[in-house]
Amino acid sequence: MMTNKNEAIGCTVNNCTHHAQGENYCTLNKIQIGTHESNPTKIECTDCESFVNKAQ
Ligand code: SF4
């Protein structure tokens, strides 16, 4: 599948509909990062809020 990868946004979440698939990049021009914690202290506290499940 041909995609327009954004080389400024590396991503390995290939379950996301925005993933470039063949390469580990996002295809969006801009992503939104957020947190589900009130006081984020670790990597695991952060989320890509632009994620969309590819299976949906
Ligand atoms: S939207 Fe987020 S999770 Fe999805 S490919 Fe882009 S950076 Fe990765």
Side-chain angles (χ1 to χ4, degrees):
M1 187 170 66
M2 199 55 209
T3 53
N4 298 312
K5 69 181 178 188
N6 181 345
E7 292 187 343
I9 308 176
C11 179
T12 59
V13 186
N14 59 14
N15 256 24
C16 178
T17 195
H18 300 304
H19 193 266
Q21 298 307 316
E23 296 179 87
N24 283 329
Y25 292 101
C26 183
T27 58
L28 295 177
N29 293 326
K30 176 227 172 198
I31 59 170
Q32 185 72 30
I33 303 300
T35 182
H36 51 274
E37 305 282 347
S38 53
N39 179 28
T41 54
K42 302 179 197 162
I43 288 172
E44 304 90 272
C45 301
T46 65
D47 303 304
C48 178
E49 295 179 344
S50 300
F51 172 85
V52 177
N53 189 342
K54 195 170 67 175
Q56 284 177 344

